[in-house]
Amino acid sequence: QAGTNWYHMVYIFAERSADNNWNRILRLRPGLEYRPHPDFRLYQSFEVLANYVDYDFESPGSVTRSNVFRKLAVDDSLRWRWGPRSSLILDYRLQVEENGQLFWERWSERVLITRHSHWLQVRLQYGAPAGVQLSPGFSIYSRKEWRHDQTAQGLEIKKRAGTFFSYGPMLRLRYMPKESLQIVIDGIRRRVHPEGQARYVINTLDIDVELYF
């Protein structure tokens, strides 16, 4: 999969022309699926995304407003059906991000922030009679962030800006009373451990109803 989006914002009134900008998004996402057995599926994908926001007019001597966001993501998904109604599902995602100032004319960047994130989800899926499917599991999320500063001599200094860690049980209930109706309920309870702050708990409940005509 590949895609691009180029968007030019132009203000009609002269007093707003300083905000004229180009927004360019480039995305590449190849994927590979491996099925050595009908009951075993392994899927892996890699995504590279770059978002460039380039202002048409940068004031000399002021802070550069043009910016860039880059992302590299790696996804691994494993599904093993070990019974007529039961499956094991394992999902993992690694994401590396950076934000920076963009100098479009020189095609260069000054990195400001970098992040490394990890997601891990393990679920047991059970298909019960009468169109009911239960999926209990456990979720883990971790993120580390760094800020990039410069000395008076122009040397880069990388400092850790914080860490974020959360984990907790999850439960998904899928109900299809007929082919034209599907109801999905997702519940998760996360214990959050932010660096330098008090720990807390987040409870999330999502309900999705889909009706097909």
Side-chain angles (χ1 to χ4, degrees):
Q1 300 178 15
T4 183
N5 183 7
W6 292 41
Y7 181 74
H8 194 195
M9 171 71 78
V10 178
Y11 289 91
I12 296 177
F13 300 102
E15 59 268 20
R16 293 297 307 276
S17 61
D19 293 326
N20 294 357
N21 67 83
W22 275 97
N23 190 344
R24 302 173 176 91
I25 301 176
L26 306 174
R27 180 177 177 268
L28 179 65
R29 185 183 175 86
L32 175 67
E33 183 179 81
Y34 178 53
R35 287 180 178 265
H37 189 273
D39 294 335
F40 187 88
R41 173 184 178 270
L42 178 64
Y43 181 77
Q44 187 174 63
S45 65
F46 302 85
E47 181 182 20
V48 178
L49 183 143
N51 187 355
Y52 304 95
V53 179
D54 172 38
Y55 284 83
D56 294 353
F57 308 103
E58 293 281 8
S59 302
S62 64
V63 177
T64 301
R65 291 193 297 163
S66 298
N67 60 85
V68 57
F69 169 77
R70 304 179 201 264
K71 180 181 75 174
L72 168 67
V74 180
D75 289 288
D76 283 292
S77 178
L78 183 148
R79 184 188 181 103
W80 174 39
R81 189 173 62 186
W82 49 275
R85 294 179 178 271
S86 304
S87 299
L88 172 66
I89 301 173
L90 176 65
D91 293 312
Y92 170 73
R93 180 180 178 89
L94 165 66
Q95 186 166 296
V96 180
E97 303 172 328
E98 69 177 31
N99 293 83
Q101 288 180 313
L102 174 66
F103 306 94
W104 182 261
E105 298 298 328
R106 306 200 306 261
W107 189 240
S108 64
E109 171 198 11
R110 181 195 163 200
V111 178
L112 299 177
I113 299 174
T114 53
R115 305 178 194 87
H116 291 179
S117 302
H118 302 266
W119 286 266
L120 178 63
Q121 239 182 48
V122 181
R123 288 185 288 141
L124 290 175
Q125 184 173 286
Y126 176 72
V132 177
Q133 188 182 81
L134 289 173
S135 301
F138 198 81
S139 175
I140 299 174
Y141 172 67
S142 171
R143 185 186 72 230
K144 294 183 179 180
E145 184 173 306
W146 295 268
R147 295 190 180 277
H148 299 251
D149 298 323
Q150 285 187 339
T151 65
Q153 293 75 27
L155 300 177
E156 182 180 292
I157 301 176
K158 183 178 179 180
K159 299 179 180 178
R160 195 174 74 175
T163 60
F164 185 92
F165 181 73
S166 68
Y167 61 92
M170 55 186 297
L171 177 64
R172 168 174 290 185
L173 171 64
R174 186 190 302 269
Y175 178 51
M176 293 187 66
K178 51 186 179 179
E179 293 185 356
S180 60
L181 177 63
Q182 175 177 267
I183 302 172
V184 180
I185 302 176
D186 278 310
I188 183 169
R189 180 180 176 87
R190 297 186 181 92
R191 294 185 178 275
V192 182
H193 295 215
E195 184 179 19
Q197 302 179 32
R199 301 177 182 181
Y200 57 93
V201 174
I202 298 178
N203 297 313
T204 305
L205 182 65
D206 293 321
I207 301 175
D208 179 65
V209 179
E210 296 182 6
L211 182 62
Y212 304 98
F213 297 95

